[in-house]
Amino acid sequence: MKKLVDLISQEIKKAFVQKGYDEKYGQVSQSNRPDLCQYQCNGAMAAAKEYKKAPIMIAEEVVAELQGDHRFKEIIAIMPGFINITLSDEFIAQYLNDMQRKENFGCQKEVSPKTIVIDYGGPNIAKPLHVGHMRSAIIGESLKRIFKFMGNNAIGDVHLGDWGTPMGLVIAELKRRKPDLVYFDESYSGEYPEEAPFTISELEDIYPTASAYSKENPEFHEEAKQITFLMQNGHRGYMALWKHMQEVSVTDLKKIYDRLNVSFELWKKESDAQPYIPEMIEYLKDNGYAEISEGALVVDVKEETDTKEMPPFMLLKTDGATLYSTTDLATIVERMKLFNPDHILYITDKRQELHFERLFRCAKKAKLVNEDTNLQFIGFGTMNGKDGKPFKTRDGGVLRLEHLIDMVTDEVYKKIMENRDMDQAEAKEIAKKVGIAALKYGDLSNQASKDYVFDLERFTSFEGNTGPYILYTIVRIKSILEKFNKTGKKISDDMEVLKPETPVEVDLMLQITRFSDMINSAYQEQAPHRICQYIYDLADKFSSFYHETKIISDENSEKRQASLILLITLVRDILLTCIELLGFEAPERM
Ligand code: ARG
C-alpha cells in the first residue's frame, strides 16, 4: 500500500505534468501549519525559477487542474505560491479502511531484504551487567525488531565477553580463596565436578576483589596473566573453571535479559572467534596487510583524508598475546563464514567509536568482507543522573542493571498502589510490565547518540511523554472495547470506518494514516525515537478524541457505533505493534 503522502504527491505531480511542468515539483509534505491545511506542496516556488513565471500563477494552474477531485476537500493556491491541501473526509476514511485490512497496516516491506547481524549484548562473564549494557540491549533489541518488521533477516548476537585477563583474575582469586579445589591440583587427571564451585553472587564478588587486589599486587597480576595464558592454551583445570563461569553467568544473564524483554538469536562468545585467529593472522601477513611495528603486529588503517590521529589496528602484542581488536576482527571472519551477512551492526557506548572505525577499515582493507558489506557502528550516549554526571548508586558505585530495574519497578508499584485499590500480587505483575516500559521508553524516546538524564519520577509518571502513559492509553482502549463487547452488539464484516464527524476525529485519523511513513523513517534512520514520537502524538490525539466523543452511547447509529469501535481498535492495534517494536508489552489493566 502506498504511503498517504506518496498518494497525494502522485496526484499533484500529475497535475504539474498536465500543465507542462516537471513532475518533481509536485512533491508534497505534511503541513507545518496544521491550522491551515493538512499537506502542502511548495514546488511552484522552485518551478518559477525554471519556467520564469510567477510562482502563484503556476500554483493556481495546478490547483485549477485538481478542482473537483474527490480526494481533496480543499486545494488552494496561497501567496507567494504555496499549494495548501486538505483531504476529503471520505478519502481519509477509505485509507484507514485499507490500512485495517492489510498486513502491517499496509506498510510496504523492504524490496531487497538483507541479512543483518546485530551485535548488541556485550556482557562479560563474571562481571555484573551495568547501565551501558542496558542501553545496548534496549536500542539493539528495538532496531532488530524494526529490521524484522520490514522483512529482513535480522540476527541478534549477544557476543559474550568470555576471553582475556578477567577470566584469569577470577581463577587466581578463587585459588587464593579455595586453594584446595581439585581444579588446582596439577596431578589430578579425573573428571571434574559438574557443579560449579561458586554461585553467581560469589562470582560477582570475586571479580571486583581480584581486580582491586591485582592493582596493588604485581605478582598476583602476573599470576592472573599466566593463568589466562594457560587457560587459553587448554589447561584442563582452568578450562573447567572457565566453563563453570560461563554456565553460571549465562543462566543469570538470561534471567536479566528476559526481564528486559530482550532475547538473542545467538549466544556466541568471544572465545568462539579464537579458532579463526591463526589462519587470519597468516593471511594478513602473507598478503602484506599486517606488519611488525615496535615488536607488535599491526595493520595500518590510516587514510589520506584523515584529519584526526588514526593509530594502527593492533593484532598481536609484543608478547604474542591477542587483544579485543584481534577478537573483533576474527569475529567478522566468523560471521562472514557462518551467515554471509549484508550488514553487521554494532551497538555500544560511543566511546568505542574509534575502535570500530579502525576495525572496519582493517576488515575492508584486508578484504575480509565484501566490498559492499555494510559495517556499521551506532554509538550511544551516557545515561546521566540528575546532576548531569553518569548515573551512580547513592554511595557512588556503578549501578547494577538488576537494581536499576528493581528501582523502576518498585516506583511503578508504589504509584499503582497509591492511586487504586488493587490486589498486591496483581499490582506487582503489572508493575513489572509498566516498569520495563518506563525504562525502555525513557531511553528510546531520545536519539540514541545523545546523553540523557534518568529521571525516575518522570519516567514512571502516568502522564506526559512516558512509557506508562502509552500503556495507559492502550489499557483504556481495551476497557472501552470490553464495555462494548458486554453490550452484546456485534460488528459485521461489511461495516467500515465512516468519514470523520469532528475535527478531533480528523486529527486522530490523520495521525493513524502516518504510520507507514513513520515506520519508514524509523527504519531508514535506524531511529526508534521516531516511533516514540509517533505513539505519543497518537495517544494524545486519541485522548482529545476520547474526551469529545461518546463511543458507547445509544445515541450513535449502529453504523456510527461500529465505525468508532473499528477506529479505536485500529488505534489499539497500532499502539500494540509500536510498543512491540520498542520491545515492551502492555498489561490488561493498570
Ligand atoms: N564486552 C564489551 C564491553 O563490555 C562489549 C562488546 C561489544 N561488541 C563487540 N563486538 N566489541 O565493553
Side-chain angles (χ1 to χ4, degrees), residues 254-318:
K254 285 195 170 154
K255 257 194 251 154
I256 303 173
Y257 280 124
D258 212 38
R259 281 183 78 184
L260 268 182
N261 221 352
V262 166
S263 68
F264 297 93
E265 282 69 17
L266 297 175
W267 276 77
K268 300 282 285 174
K269 317 180 277 308
E270 289 182 7
S271 61
D272 290 328
Q274 303 313 312
Y276 294 86
I277 292 179
E279 202 180 309
M280 176 180 86
I281 299 274
E282 276 318 294
Y283 164 83
L284 294 173
K285 277 198 209 153
D286 290 352
N287 290 281
Y289 296 120
E291 64 203 10
I292 304 286
S293 163
E294 294 170 30
L297 187 73
V298 303
V299 175
D300 176 21
V301 290
K302 278 205 284 293
E303 284 171 9
E304 263 175 37
T305 48
D306 285 340
T307 50
K308 62 177 180 218
E309 171 114 44
M310 194 55 67
F313 196 67
M314 197 188 286
L315 296 173
L316 295 176
K317 291 201 261 191
T318 39

Side-chain angles (χ1 to χ4, degrees), residues 119-124 127 130 133 136 157-162 270 324 327-328 331 335 346-349 352 355-356 359:
D119 183 315
Y120 67 100
N124 303 302
K127 286 204 228 172
H130 57 71
H133 296 119
S136 182
D157 181 6
V158 73
H159 194 68
L160 203 61
D162 69 335
E270 289 182 7
Y324 185 56
T327 298
D328 261 337
T331 304
R335 287 177 177 157
Y346 299 80
I347 300 158
T348 79
D349 188 306
Q352 294 202 33
H355 162 72
F356 284 103
L359 169 70

Side-chain angles (χ1 to χ4, degrees), residues 212-238:
Y213 189 68
S214 86
K215 285 194 185 109
E216 271 140 41
N217 296 275
E219 329 79 67
F220 181 75
H221 185 73
E222 262 323 298
E223 186 183 7
K225 262 173 74 177
Q226 181 62 15
I227 291 179
T228 311
F229 178 80
L230 291 172
M231 177 197 90
Q232 293 182 343
N233 285 284
H235 183 288
R236 280 185 68 241
Y238 299 159

Side-chain angles (χ1 to χ4, degrees), residues 11 65-75 86-92 94:
E11 296 313 310
E65 183 69 23
L66 290 162
Q67 292 311 314
D69 188 311
H70 71 279
R71 282 168 273 231
F72 306 118
K73 182 188 262 175
E74 182 179 75
I75 174 158
T86 301
L87 302 174
S88 74
D89 295 337
E90 291 79 4
F91 182 54
I92 298 175
Q94 198 45 52

Side-chain angles (χ1 to χ4, degrees), residues 424-486:
Q424 282 188 8
E426 188 185 1
K428 282 241 152 71
E429 278 312 302
I430 294 173
K432 276 191 203 163
K433 283 189 176 154
V434 182
I436 293 301
L439 192 61
K440 287 186 145 186
Y441 191 93
D443 189 296
L444 293 170
S445 52
N446 301 285
Q447 219 172 306
S449 61
K450 298 240 163 81
D451 295 351
Y452 72 90
V453 173
F454 174 77
D455 183 339
L456 184 63
E457 200 36 49
R458 189 170 74 74
F459 283 14
T460 57
S461 168
F462 283 32
E463 278 153 42
N465 190 4
T466 70
Y469 171 64
I470 303 294
L471 297 188
Y472 185 65
T473 308
I474 296 174
V475 167
R476 208 177 193 183
I477 301 177
K478 283 186 183 177
S479 91
I480 306 170
L481 292 175
E482 224 168 86
K483 238 194 229 158
F484 174 74
N485 282 336
K486 285 206 185 109

